Amino acid sequence: MNHFAVSRGYPPSLSTLLALAVVGCGAAPATEQPSPEGGAPVSTQVAAVQTGTVTLLPVADAYVTPDAPGSNFGLNTAWLVNRQYAEAYLKFDLSSLPSNAIITSVTFSALAYDGYAYGGDGNVYTSFVADDSWSETGITWNNRPAPSGTPSGEWFLWYNLTPEDKLGVNANPALIPVVQGELDGDKQLSFRLHSPGYKTRYRSREYSNANQRPKLVIQYELGDVVTVLEPEADARVSGSFWEHASNFGGSHELGIYYGWPETSFLRFNLGSIPPGAVIQSVKFSATATRGASPGGDGNTYTYLVPDNSWGEYSLTFDNQPALSGAPLGAWFLWFPGNASEPNEKVGVNDSPDLIPAVQGASDAIDRRISLRIFSPGYISYYHSREVEDASKRPHLEVTYTP
């Protein structure tokens, strides 16, 4: 973009306009260039809005013992935790939880029915196992996976060889990041149980009474997803005598000037938003590089452009697509100097009017939305998607419920 001075509403000189004509009227490239970003979101995060609870039974459980290092006990109706003589492994499938769930509490429990307190540390420790490849009918002492890190809580049950049902419960908050990490990963969660000093025997998932099998109770908040998109295409167009047929899609600036007129187009790819998602809020922003405030209506208005077929490297003032309806909100930036002086400010439009427009585009076949920005009274120039600093590129922040 060519830099020129605009002082309080007075147009540039004829010599400046002639200079612009010489520098700014190159022919547009013959072919379109692919988007460097490809419509991928800059960032995605989850904001909690609802709650839920799910109770899971193990999909696999077994104990292993050095007394029979090559033997498998996965189909037993009980499993054992016994000092250095036995460890238990359990696996849970987290795929029934919503993918955008935020875990708020985890309670792991198992029903013991006998045991013995030999002495020393009698806690039964829950340790995370990162390797989920073990199978219920294949795990042995010799091939058991190692636990990862420190234990994520424990329970304590005392026995004196008198059989009695006792519930071991671990609700340590340290379980939360473990479960969250596996939910965000392969959705398979494995634990190892061991005790340094005591012996306890538990009902397994094969036990006939389902109420006495091990359980994992997970409470979560179901979050809306917040995704930030960069344009897949953007370009300014100018209605000046010298520039009306020129393309500026490769420029590092987008321009708005009421006098030419000059306006800018942006297109966002919504393909990263799941089909059927409900749009909750939209925030459209752009970082100005410079501007001038001659007077009058200085709002920068956002308009919907129904036609998404325009090309970044072929768009001109003469072939620009038409707008649709009233403005979808606006932002206001005031500039104290003239348009050639650097003055960075961020314009933000979070009008509710953007929501139905983005919803309609998300539900459409091509899953794209085009916007045009223009001001009736002020002049401003903005960093385009071509600028090296990604934080200064235009952004469309969309909050949706999957």
Side-chain angles (χ1 to χ4, degrees), residues 90-102:
L90 298 94
K91 186 187 300 185
F92 295 89
D93 183 357
L94 306 177
S95 61
S96 61
L97 276 77
S99 59
N100 59 325
I102 302 171

Side-chain angles (χ1 to χ4, degrees), residues 375-398:
S375 176
Y378 283 15
I379 304 165
S380 52
Y381 292 89
Y382 299 83
H383 291 292
S384 74
R385 78 185 188 100
E386 282 78 15
V387 73
E388 184 175 353
D389 187 345
S391 67
K392 296 181 178 181
R393 298 169 188 164
H395 291 116
L396 191 71
E397 179 183 300
V398 182

Side-chain angles (χ1 to χ4, degrees), residues 164-199:
E164 182 183 354
D165 286 351
K166 296 184 179 183
L167 188 65
V169 178
N170 178 9
N172 195 301
L175 290 168
I176 296 174
V178 171
V179 176
Q180 186 72 64
E182 294 303 278
L183 175 63
D184 297 339
D186 65 1
K187 302 188 187 306
Q188 298 294 306
L189 172 68
S190 293
F191 287 138
R192 184 200 74 166
L193 297 181
H194 85 286
S195 176
Y198 283 15
K199 170 185 176 180

Side-chain angles (χ1 to χ4, degrees), residues 42-193:
V42 177
S43 65
T44 302
Q45 61 186 24
V46 178
V49 293
Q50 300 177 22
T51 61
T53 302
V54 64
T55 299
L56 303 176
L57 301 180
V59 294
D61 62 0
Y63 77 93
V64 296
T65 174
D67 293 338
S71 298
N72 170 262
F73 303 94
L75 298 181
N76 287 24
T77 58
W79 42 261
L80 180 66
V81 176
N82 186 14
R83 301 175 293 167
Q84 70 268 30
Y85 301 112
E87 301 172 349
Y89 283 79
L90 298 94
K91 186 187 300 185
F92 295 89
D93 183 357
L94 306 177
S95 61
S96 61
L97 276 77
S99 59
N100 59 325
I102 302 171
I103 308 303
T104 57
S105 74
V106 178
T107 302
F108 171 42
S109 64
L111 184 68
Y113 62 93
D114 73 7
Y116 188 76
Y118 287 99
D121 184 353
N123 288 308
V124 175
Y125 292 95
T126 304
S127 297
F128 169 60
V129 177
D131 183 357
D132 300 309
S133 64
W134 63 274
S135 69
E136 182 174 64
T137 56
I139 190 170
T140 68
W141 180 269
N142 288 340
N143 66 18
R144 72 196 193 282
S148 302
T150 59
S152 302
E154 70 284 328
W155 61 64
F156 180 86
L157 300 176
W158 185 87
Y159 278 96
N160 63 356
L161 288 182
T162 301
E164 182 183 354
D165 286 351
K166 296 184 179 183
L167 188 65
V169 178
N170 178 9
N172 195 301
L175 290 168
I176 296 174
V178 171
V179 176
Q180 186 72 64
E182 294 303 278
L183 175 63
D184 297 339
D186 65 1
K187 302 188 187 306
Q188 298 294 306
L189 172 68
S190 293
F191 287 138
R192 184 200 74 166
L193 297 181

Side-chain angles (χ1 to χ4, degrees), residues 175-228:
L175 290 168
I176 296 174
V178 171
V179 176
Q180 186 72 64
E182 294 303 278
L183 175 63
D184 297 339
D186 65 1
K187 302 188 187 306
Q188 298 294 306
L189 172 68
S190 293
F191 287 138
R192 184 200 74 166
L193 297 181
H194 85 286
S195 176
Y198 283 15
K199 170 185 176 180
T200 41
R201 196 181 303 272
Y202 300 81
R203 308 294 189 193
S204 77
R205 79 183 193 101
E206 282 78 15
Y207 191 66
S208 59
N209 186 345
N211 293 327
Q212 296 188 12
R213 297 169 187 168
K215 293 179 177 62
L216 190 69
V217 179
I218 301 172
Q219 293 184 335
Y220 61 89
E221 293 177 338
L222 184 60
D224 280 353
V225 179
V226 181
T227 187
V228 180

Side-chain angles (χ1 to χ4, degrees), residues 1-4 14-28 236 240 242-243 246-248 251:
M1 176 64 198
N2 302 295
H3 296 260
F4 59 90
L14 180 60
S15 61
T16 301
L17 295 176
L18 291 173
L20 286 171
V22 173
V23 176
C25 288
R236 72 175 179 91
S240 74
W242 299 274
E243 296 180 326
S246 298
N247 169 261
F248 300 95
S251 172

